[in-house]
Amino acid sequence: MEKSNGKVSQLTVKKEEPTLVSPAEETAKGLYFLSNLDQNIAVIVRTIYCFKSDEKGNENAADVIKDALRKVLVHYYPLAGRLTISSEGKLIVDCTGEGAVFVEAEASCEMEEIGDITKPDPETLGKLVYDIPGAENLLEMPPLVAQVTKFQCGGFVLGLCVNHCMFDGIAAMEFVNSWGETARGLPLTIPPFSDRTILKARIPPKIEHLHQEFAEIEDKSSTGDLYKDEMHYRSFCFEPDKLEKLKKTAMEDGVLEKCTTFEALSAFLWRARTKALKMLSDQQTKLLFAVDGRPKFNAPLPKGYFGNGIVLANSICQAGELLDQPLSHAVNLIQEAIKMVTDGYMRSAIDYFEVTRARPSLSSTLLITTWYRLSFHTTDFGWGEPVLSGPVALPEKEVILFLSHGKDRKSINVLLGLPASALNVFQEQMQI
């Protein structure tokens, strides 16, 4: 069930000098508005896609991908700009057209030797993405940085560094798939809808909900001190029978009418992590998770919306209550949080940021991010779908990531990092 990645620290990657890839045609210049849903999650997300085809080698992979990037940036022109600060003190894109950063690289081994990428391994996998040297803040990092690394076996890896303020998972997936379609000479299945002003704050702003996603919880249990310990990254695979078992356990006391895989697994992990971190029984603990707001807005966001359409839902509970009550109690808290996410709630969250400029707080918090509903595995630049794809690292220590796993993608791989002292207790609880 648990996987560890022990074989790849010797990966040597020789990188060429970075170049700038500008849009193939003249694109709009000037300042490009980012909504308050974009402002909240301006973190760099690093992902890799591994490709290998029996039919063709990797000789022209970098050229094909670079040429397609030039063309797709015509549609996604803000990615060729640079982040700056607006007169209101918020992030905004200056559409300079100077281009995305592109790097070609060669690895000293075969792609199989990367090992198990289902576990985040920043030290090794980080060599497959390009970090801007000396960049100290988000404004010094271009919104999009791409690296194509060729391997001795004829395979190659596309590594991306993207700022989350440019898009959420759904929009990022649409962009990467559009880039692949362009490489194959196809029109875009989902052209981007670029006008983010449809999510502008109301005038005057109306805060109509209690937004506890921003609440700073007192760390009575000194959990923060545990995280000073060495972090261990692990992945746990939940096959369909285990997921069914969790749902059955959540339903067995008759409290719930229904229960989804996401709800059961999130509740189970929230409890397991709370126990592993030895939180005091009166310690409040918060669960944050992203809900896709696209269909919940009134009217729903247009197809191809290029930006963040997600809002953070939250559940708060005392650790003692969470652990003493059955699994159904935690599931019920999650279901109530999901029900809260309506057009009114999301508009209120947008206005809350407008007034307070608050960031969601991660103190005594678990943040669950789900990628298993995203079809990153369908990306095709002409070498077929990726043989593997996934994140290079977790964006924050409080994050647990869900990825689809297995041939039919029915299993869920759970990626997380924990302080060494909490790992054994957590692993014991995974034996279900």
mmCIF file of all heavy atoms in Angstrom, residues 246-263:
data_model
loop_
_atom_site.group_PDB
_atom_site.id
_atom_site.type_symbol
_atom_site.label_atom_id
_atom_site.label_comp_id
_atom_site.label_asym_id
_atom_site.label_seq_id
_atom_site.Cartn_x
_atom_site.Cartn_y
_atom_site.Cartn_z
ATOM 1 N N LEU A 246 -14.733 1.869 3.098
ATOM 2 C CA LEU A 246 -14.829 3.133 3.831
ATOM 3 C C LEU A 246 -16.244 3.705 3.757
ATOM 4 O O LEU A 246 -16.788 4.183 4.755
ATOM 5 C CB LEU A 246 -13.838 4.166 3.257
ATOM 6 C CG LEU A 246 -12.384 4.079 3.686
ATOM 7 C CD1 LEU A 246 -11.588 5.198 3.042
ATOM 8 C CD2 LEU A 246 -12.250 4.168 5.210
ATOM 9 N N LYS A 247 -16.830 3.664 2.561
ATOM 10 C CA LYS A 247 -18.200 4.188 2.397
ATOM 11 C C LYS A 247 -19.183 3.386 3.250
ATOM 12 O O LYS A 247 -20.075 3.932 3.882
ATOM 13 C CB LYS A 247 -18.616 4.161 0.912
ATOM 14 C CG LYS A 247 -17.958 5.264 0.102
ATOM 15 C CD LYS A 247 -18.671 5.554 -1.191
ATOM 16 C CE LYS A 247 -18.246 4.637 -2.298
ATOM 17 N NZ LYS A 247 -18.807 5.043 -3.603
ATOM 18 N N LYS A 248 -18.995 2.069 3.262
ATOM 19 C CA LYS A 248 -19.865 1.183 4.050
ATOM 20 C C LYS A 248 -19.746 1.510 5.543
ATOM 21 O O LYS A 248 -20.741 1.608 6.260
ATOM 22 C CB LYS A 248 -19.458 -0.281 3.790
ATOM 23 C CG LYS A 248 -20.609 -1.269 3.900
ATOM 24 C CD LYS A 248 -20.165 -2.661 3.470
ATOM 25 C CE LYS A 248 -20.733 -3.018 2.100
ATOM 26 N NZ LYS A 248 -20.279 -4.314 1.630
ATOM 27 N N THR A 249 -18.500 1.704 6.000
ATOM 28 C CA THR A 249 -18.269 2.058 7.405
ATOM 29 C C THR A 249 -18.969 3.373 7.754
ATOM 30 O O THR A 249 -19.575 3.501 8.827
ATOM 31 C CB THR A 249 -16.748 2.191 7.689
ATOM 32 O OG1 THR A 249 -16.102 0.988 7.285
ATOM 33 C CG2 THR A 249 -16.459 2.460 9.148
ATOM 34 N N ALA A 250 -18.880 4.347 6.845
ATOM 35 C CA ALA A 250 -19.505 5.652 7.095
ATOM 36 C C ALA A 250 -21.034 5.540 7.168
ATOM 37 O O ALA A 250 -21.681 6.291 7.894
ATOM 38 C CB ALA A 250 -19.100 6.642 5.995
ATOM 39 N N MET A 251 -21.592 4.595 6.429
ATOM 40 C CA MET A 251 -23.053 4.475 6.322
ATOM 41 C C MET A 251 -23.658 3.542 7.383
ATOM 42 O O MET A 251 -24.867 3.539 7.591
ATOM 43 C CB MET A 251 -23.433 3.924 4.935
ATOM 44 C CG MET A 251 -23.016 4.778 3.759
ATOM 45 S SD MET A 251 -24.125 6.144 3.433
ATOM 46 C CE MET A 251 -25.559 5.299 2.806
ATOM 47 N N GLU A 252 -22.813 2.736 8.068
ATOM 48 C CA GLU A 252 -23.357 1.604 8.831
ATOM 49 C C GLU A 252 -24.221 1.998 10.034
ATOM 50 O O GLU A 252 -25.067 1.231 10.466
ATOM 51 C CB GLU A 252 -22.247 0.631 9.258
ATOM 52 C CG GLU A 252 -21.252 1.185 10.254
ATOM 53 C CD GLU A 252 -20.032 0.277 10.416
ATOM 54 O OE1 GLU A 252 -19.933 -0.743 9.699
ATOM 55 O OE2 GLU A 252 -19.166 0.614 11.245
ATOM 56 N N ASP A 253 -24.022 3.227 10.581
ATOM 57 C CA ASP A 253 -24.841 3.575 11.745
ATOM 58 C C ASP A 253 -26.162 4.252 11.363
ATOM 59 O O ASP A 253 -26.923 4.692 12.237
ATOM 60 C CB ASP A 253 -24.052 4.448 12.733
ATOM 61 C CG ASP A 253 -23.518 5.728 12.091
ATOM 62 O OD1 ASP A 253 -23.864 5.993 10.930
ATOM 63 O OD2 ASP A 253 -22.749 6.448 12.754
ATOM 64 N N GLY A 254 -26.424 4.343 10.045
ATOM 65 C CA GLY A 254 -27.729 4.838 9.593
ATOM 66 C C GLY A 254 -27.922 6.345 9.690
ATOM 67 O O GLY A 254 -29.001 6.864 9.425
ATOM 68 N N VAL A 255 -26.866 7.090 10.026
ATOM 69 C CA VAL A 255 -26.981 8.556 10.162
ATOM 70 C C VAL A 255 -27.057 9.222 8.778
ATOM 71 O O VAL A 255 -27.777 10.201 8.574
ATOM 72 C CB VAL A 255 -25.778 9.117 10.966
ATOM 73 C CG1 VAL A 255 -25.753 10.638 10.940
ATOM 74 C CG2 VAL A 255 -25.810 8.599 12.394
ATOM 75 N N LEU A 256 -26.299 8.674 7.826
ATOM 76 C CA LEU A 256 -26.191 9.289 6.488
ATOM 77 C C LEU A 256 -27.139 8.623 5.501
ATOM 78 O O LEU A 256 -27.336 7.416 5.526
ATOM 79 C CB LEU A 256 -24.760 9.153 5.963
ATOM 80 C CG LEU A 256 -23.630 9.699 6.842
ATOM 81 C CD1 LEU A 256 -22.273 9.280 6.272
ATOM 82 C CD2 LEU A 256 -23.704 11.213 6.961
ATOM 83 N N GLU A 257 -27.707 9.440 4.606
ATOM 84 C CA GLU A 257 -28.538 8.881 3.528
ATOM 85 C C GLU A 257 -27.674 8.412 2.376
ATOM 86 O O GLU A 257 -27.985 7.451 1.685
ATOM 87 C CB GLU A 257 -29.527 9.945 3.025
ATOM 88 C CG GLU A 257 -30.677 10.188 3.998
ATOM 89 C CD GLU A 257 -31.585 11.303 3.505
ATOM 90 O OE1 GLU A 257 -31.675 11.509 2.264
ATOM 91 O OE2 GLU A 257 -32.187 11.971 4.361
ATOM 92 N N LYS A 258 -26.575 9.170 2.149
ATOM 93 C CA LYS A 258 -25.666 8.787 1.062
ATOM 94 C C LYS A 258 -24.259 9.254 1.426
ATOM 95 O O LYS A 258 -24.090 10.062 2.349
ATOM 96 C CB LYS A 258 -26.116 9.378 -0.277
ATOM 97 C CG LYS A 258 -26.221 10.889 -0.291
ATOM 98 C CD LYS A 258 -26.784 11.350 -1.619
ATOM 99 C CE LYS A 258 -26.663 12.820 -1.896
ATOM 100 N NZ LYS A 258 -26.937 13.774 -0.839
ATOM 101 N N CYS A 259 -23.279 8.743 0.672
ATOM 102 C CA CYS A 259 -21.894 9.108 0.966
ATOM 103 C C CYS A 259 -21.059 8.869 -0.286
ATOM 104 O O CYS A 259 -21.082 7.774 -0.853
ATOM 105 C CB CYS A 259 -21.391 8.253 2.132
ATOM 106 S SG CYS A 259 -19.650 8.477 2.495
ATOM 107 N N THR A 260 -20.318 9.895 -0.721
ATOM 108 C CA THR A 260 -19.480 9.747 -1.917
ATOM 109 C C THR A 260 -18.094 9.236 -1.504
ATOM 110 O O THR A 260 -17.716 9.290 -0.330
ATOM 111 C CB THR A 260 -19.296 11.088 -2.650
ATOM 112 O OG1 THR A 260 -18.549 11.968 -1.794
ATOM 113 C CG2 THR A 260 -20.637 11.727 -3.000
ATOM 114 N N THR A 261 -17.336 8.794 -2.495
ATOM 115 C CA THR A 261 -15.955 8.351 -2.267
ATOM 116 C C THR A 261 -15.134 9.487 -1.667
ATOM 117 O O THR A 261 -14.402 9.305 -0.697
ATOM 118 C CB THR A 261 -15.326 7.887 -3.598
ATOM 119 O OG1 THR A 261 -16.058 6.766 -4.069
ATOM 120 C CG2 THR A 261 -13.872 7.509 -3.437
ATOM 121 N N PHE A 262 -15.264 10.681 -2.237
ATOM 122 C CA PHE A 262 -14.500 11.838 -1.753
ATOM 123 C C PHE A 262 -14.808 12.112 -0.286
ATOM 124 O O PHE A 262 -13.908 12.331 0.534
ATOM 125 C CB PHE A 262 -14.800 13.094 -2.592
ATOM 126 C CG PHE A 262 -14.235 14.348 -1.974
ATOM 127 C CD1 PHE A 262 -12.887 14.643 -2.096
ATOM 128 C CD2 PHE A 262 -15.039 15.210 -1.227
ATOM 129 C CE1 PHE A 262 -12.345 15.781 -1.492
ATOM 130 C CE2 PHE A 262 -14.509 16.340 -0.615
ATOM 131 C CZ PHE A 262 -13.163 16.631 -0.754
ATOM 132 N N GLU A 263 -16.097 12.100 0.067
ATOM 133 C CA GLU A 263 -16.493 12.409 1.443
ATOM 134 C C GLU A 263 -15.946 11.380 2.433
ATOM 135 O O GLU A 263 -15.395 11.739 3.480
ATOM 136 C CB GLU A 263 -18.023 12.476 1.542
ATOM 137 C CG GLU A 263 -18.624 13.664 0.794
ATOM 138 C CD GLU A 263 -20.097 13.496 0.454
ATOM 139 O OE1 GLU A 263 -20.687 12.437 0.773
ATOM 140 O OE2 GLU A 263 -20.664 14.433 -0.151
#
